[in-house]
Amino acid sequence: MQQPWSKRHKREFKGCQFSLSNSFAQPLSMPELIKLTKDRGDTKLLHLYNNHDLEYVPNGGSNDLRQDIARVVYNNKLSAGNILVFPGGQVAIQTAALAFASNGVHSIVFTPGYQSTVESPQWAIGNAGVTQIPRHPDNHWQVDISKFKEAIRPNTKFVILNEPWNPGGIVMSHELQREIIDICRAHSIVILCDEVYRLLEHNECDRLPAMAHAYEMGISAVTMSKPWGACAVTIGWLACQDLRMVQRLVDVQYFGTACVSRASEIQARMVLGASEVILKERREIVLRNKARLMAFVEKYSEFFSVSEPNAGAIAFVKFKPFPSHVLGEQLASNGISIKPYYCFAEVDDESSEEKQYPCEAYHLRVGFGELDFPSKLDALSRFVDEHADGWRRN
């Protein structure tokens, strides 16, 4: 197993005052969540939160939470039996890979990306290899369908997608999703789709059907941290139509973290009960901040460019003068945190004047989901103004 790609980031940017690294929407507070619950008159849920016992919850989550997920997120197109609850999304992705990428299975993943969506099939015992397909900025970071077809082998039985895509905040078209599903159906390939930024599309017309609903061999991975800003609730889940596949996931989950916190489950139910209000407010913040970010990129287009995001609270911005890890070192020394390219791919960025870096290495992720984003962007603007002449000379 590789070192965490973000480990270096946590070391280099520790203590920065202005964090543009966060990828979640504006975090909820507990008082805010209680008020939202009171405002809709859900006294039973508040009573349950204040008086629940501390015995184990059922493996895979309590039925009341799974019913709420099925109703709110999947409009009852899936049932509670199709939902498996985890303590966050990270372990959910790993569980799916261990369940479906082992025992002679060849997998396909896409890079750059969140490390678990790229590397988790390699952690499955007896896997038959993993093909990484690059995503490129000249294709608006979209999946290259021809390369996907070429990568399929007779034993390819597991594919990981991430839509909307991290680190770019870009979601594929409905047509491309259907094409990928049709190809995988023809080859009996399981699709795990990391959908942690779903429901935070900037235009709801761009929202894709959940993979768990769109494809009979599809699995959706979700966490409450990104669109709802419920990070500390630490609840995620996998959703899947096929109950036999669900059982395989249950069997693997049993040897990991099988039970979550009951308090977290009830908090998650509070969030889901106010989902419409929370998502509306978070989307408004995201759209205001995105406009500010796009204006920043336009103002400093001599140094920056970006494929405009259409989902989530993140953008993969290109810094033209030199690779993002070099910029990151300079920003960190000025109290500003971003996510360099090395957080999304295994790279060799040892300093060398002769070294040729790929185009992707000049990109950095910027998060713009929080209310204090304007002050952080102002800090970045001041930094650019102070260094612009030096960048031009180089």
Side-chain angles (χ1 to χ4, degrees), residues 86-108:
F86 291 81
Q90 178 80 276
V91 68
I93 293 170
Q94 296 170 20
T95 297
L98 294 175
F100 295 103
S102 60
N103 299 323
V105 167
H106 167 256
S107 302
I108 298 174

Side-chain angles (χ1 to χ4, degrees), residues 306-365:
V306 67
S307 292
E308 182 174 348
N310 62 350
I314 49 176
F316 211 28
V317 179
K318 181 178 181 180
F319 180 65
K320 300 174 184 178
F322 41 78
S324 61
H325 72 277
V326 180
L327 175 65
E329 292 169 357
Q330 296 181 6
L331 287 170
S333 66
N334 285 266
I336 302 171
S337 172
I338 50 87
K339 282 285 185 81
Y341 178 72
Y342 65 68
C343 291
F344 307 101
E346 189 175 0
V347 296
D348 174 16
D349 57 17
E350 292 296 324
S351 298
S352 170
E353 293 184 3
E354 292 79 25
K355 186 174 181 62
Q356 297 295 313
Y357 292 97
C359 171
E360 293 78 11
Y362 288 74
H363 288 77
L364 56 124
R365 195 187 73 184

Side-chain angles (χ1 to χ4, degrees), residues 9 12-13 15-21 327-338 376-384:
H9 174 268
E12 294 184 352
F13 292 89
C16 285
Q17 179 182 0
F18 304 102
S19 178
L20 292 166
S21 297
L327 175 65
E329 292 169 357
Q330 296 181 6
L331 287 170
S333 66
N334 285 266
I336 302 171
S337 172
I338 50 87
K376 298 172 182 178
L377 190 64
D378 287 345
L380 181 59
S381 297
R382 291 192 296 270
F383 174 86
V384 174

Side-chain angles (χ1 to χ4, degrees), residues 210-239:
M211 186 58 68
H213 177 247
Y215 179 39
E216 63 276 8
M217 295 181 68
I219 305 170
S220 294
V222 185
T223 177
M224 305 214 75
S225 64
K226 305 304 182 184
W228 292 282
C231 311
V233 171
T234 59
I235 288 289
W237 63 84
L238 296 176

Side-chain angles (χ1 to χ4, degrees), residues 32-178:
E32 180 183 5
L33 190 55
I34 290 173
K35 183 178 184 303
L36 287 167
T37 307
K38 286 181 177 178
D39 287 350
R40 66 174 188 277
D42 200 341
T43 56
K44 289 184 178 179
L45 196 54
L46 288 170
H47 178 80
L48 181 61
Y49 182 74
N50 289 319
N51 296 278
H52 66 277
D53 59 51
L54 299 181
E55 66 180 68
Y56 284 124
V57 305
N59 289 9
S62 297
N63 192 59
D64 54 5
L65 172 58
R66 293 186 293 114
Q67 286 180 333
D68 284 356
I69 293 169
R71 175 177 52 83
V72 175
V73 181
Y74 303 109
N75 299 312
N76 287 322
K77 294 174 181 176
L78 298 174
S79 70
N82 302 114
I83 312 293
L84 198 61
V85 176
F86 291 81
Q90 178 80 276
V91 68
I93 293 170
Q94 296 170 20
T95 297
L98 294 175
F100 295 103
S102 60
N103 299 323
V105 167
H106 167 256
S107 302
I108 298 174
V109 300
F110 299 87
T111 185
Y114 187 62
Q115 188 170 5
S116 290
T117 68
V118 176
E119 291 200 335
S120 59
Q122 299 177 27
W123 309 335
I125 296 173
N127 76 82
V130 181
T131 296
Q132 295 186 8
I133 300 177
R135 300 173 75 141
H136 294 292
D138 55 5
N139 188 33
H140 197 54
W141 299 107
Q142 293 291 343
V143 168
D144 187 323
I145 200 69
S146 61
K147 290 184 178 179
F148 176 58
K149 291 178 181 178
E150 291 170 2
I152 294 175
R153 306 174 188 173
N155 63 336
T156 302
K157 298 300 174 187
F158 189 61
V159 168
I160 300 183
L161 295 174
N162 178 198
E163 296 292 331
W165 175 65
N166 178 17
I170 293 169
V171 63
M172 66 173 56
S173 68
H174 290 253
E175 293 75 19
L176 182 54
Q177 186 200 48
R178 285 195 292 268

